[in-house]
């Protein structure tokens, strides 16, 4: 299948996206147009950003274009995404030809428990704060047509998914712990995130990275309560 990475989503999807981006919370709760998968009808590694002095500043590769940012700025708001395994080139919209860094083996093992047919080779980890969105797009840079795995942690979000011409779509409320598998016809579906819902992080996660009386990261207590983390896993190429 040949798809244009520069193609714009159908106008209808853009309208739907904007509608739910600005919808009132009560409308979201009551809407029957939203598929709600959960509707009711302290261990820390030493290698962690939370261990760093919050005043430490990261230096940009190109100081003429970007400013330095502190750990505090990065974790509170500036950190928007990171990659695991294959390092996607966002400018060229391709994966580099050189060998990719190894995908984290502990994450791969857990994914294989639930999705044994998919070889985790790359992942984009998105960090959202209420008010953030993800524009409607398609993931078509991979050479493999294996399914995409999307995992949600933290605050709820609205997820828009649609067919190729935008004539059919669904708005799904994703909650912490939900997984979406995009396979078959949905593998190259249009999708986006028009809304992240504030004050919806599960109670048991709201204080993370602090648990109980563990105050090693006291400065960051409640960090996850204001975030949604989405781990989007894909197989770049078919195994040879």
């Amino acid at each position: 299948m040949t798809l244009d990475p520069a193609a714009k989503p159908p106008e209808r999807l853009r309208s739907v996206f904007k509608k739910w981006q600005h919808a009132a919370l009560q409308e979201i709760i009551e809407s029957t147009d939203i598929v709600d998968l959960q509707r009711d009808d302290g261990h820390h590694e030493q290698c962690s950003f939370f261990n760093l002095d919050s005043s430490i500043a990261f230096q940009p590769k190109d100081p003429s274009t970007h400013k330095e940012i502190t750990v505090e700025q990065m974790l509170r708001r500036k950190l928007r995404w990171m990659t695991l395994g294959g390092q996607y080139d966002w400018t060229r919209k391709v994966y580099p030809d050189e060998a990719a860094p190894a995908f984290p083996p502990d994450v791969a093992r857990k994914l294989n428990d639930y999705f044994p047919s998919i070889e985790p080779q790359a992942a984009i980890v998105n960090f959202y704060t209420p008010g953030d969105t993800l524009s409607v797009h398609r993931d078509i840079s991979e050479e493999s047509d294996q399914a995409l795995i999307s995992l949600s942690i933290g605050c709820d979000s609205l997820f828009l998914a649609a067919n190729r011409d935008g004539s059919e779509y669904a708005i799904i409320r994703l909650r912490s712990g939900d997984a979406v598998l995009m396979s078959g016809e949905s593998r190259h579906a249009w999708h986006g995130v028009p809304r992240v819902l504030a004050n919806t992080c599960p109670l048991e996660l709201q204080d993370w990275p602090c648990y109980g009386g563990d105050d090693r990261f006291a400065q960051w207590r409640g960090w996850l309560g204001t975030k949604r983390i989405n781990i989007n896993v894909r197989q770049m190429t078919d195994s040879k």
Side-chain angles (χ1 to χ4, degrees), residues 32-232:
T32 57
D33 292 332
I34 294 176
V35 181
D36 189 338
L37 302 180
Q38 294 186 26
R39 179 173 286 162
D40 188 6
D41 321 342
H43 171 74
H44 304 284
E45 295 293 337
Q46 292 303 309
C47 183
S48 169
F49 284 128
F50 296 110
N51 274 331
L52 299 177
D53 182 335
S54 62
S55 65
I56 291 176
F58 295 110
Q59 302 302 316
K61 285 186 175 181
D62 184 357
S64 66
T65 303
H66 301 287
K67 299 178 180 179
E68 67 177 27
I69 61 171
T70 65
V71 171
E72 174 85 21
Q73 292 172 319
M74 180 189 72
L75 290 178
R76 294 296 183 195
R77 188 67 178 173
K78 296 293 187 179
L79 180 61
R80 305 301 293 271
W81 57 267
M82 64 173 60
T83 51
L84 306 176
Q87 303 294 295
Y88 188 63
D89 185 330
W90 293 91
T91 301
R92 298 170 53 224
K93 298 187 183 302
V94 297
Y95 290 97
D97 293 331
E98 58 265 23
F103 193 90
D106 53 343
V107 179
R109 285 193 298 271
K110 181 58 66 175
L111 289 168
N112 284 331
D113 287 343
Y114 296 96
F115 309 101
S117 65
I118 301 170
E119 180 183 351
Q121 296 175 340
I124 298 173
V125 184
N126 292 305
F127 297 84
Y128 297 91
T129 299
D132 293 341
T133 64
L134 179 65
S135 299
V136 178
H137 66 285
R138 296 179 292 188
D139 292 319
I140 59 175
S141 296
E142 294 74 29
E143 295 178 8
S144 174
D145 287 333
Q146 269 287 12
L148 299 178
I149 305 168
S150 176
L151 308 174
S152 296
I153 303 170
C155 291
D156 298 359
S157 72
L158 298 185
F159 180 72
L160 165 65
N163 63 354
R164 191 175 303 180
D165 63 5
S167 60
E168 297 183 32
Y169 67 87
I171 300 289
I172 305 171
R173 182 168 180 169
L174 296 180
R175 302 174 189 253
S176 188
D178 285 342
V180 174
L181 185 71
M182 298 178 66
S183 62
E185 286 294 316
S186 70
R187 171 59 181 82
H188 299 107
W190 292 103
H191 59 283
V193 178
R195 186 79 169 270
V196 175
L197 306 179
N199 304 314
T200 55
C201 183
L203 182 62
E204 64 272 19
L205 294 178
Q206 286 180 8
D207 282 346
W208 194 91
C210 295
Y211 284 106
D214 184 353
D215 286 330
R216 283 179 293 170
F217 305 115
Q219 176 183 356
W220 301 106
R221 182 180 292 275
W223 181 84
L224 187 56
T226 63
K227 299 291 182 182
R228 174 188 183 240
I229 301 175
N230 175 247
I231 306 171
N232 197 285

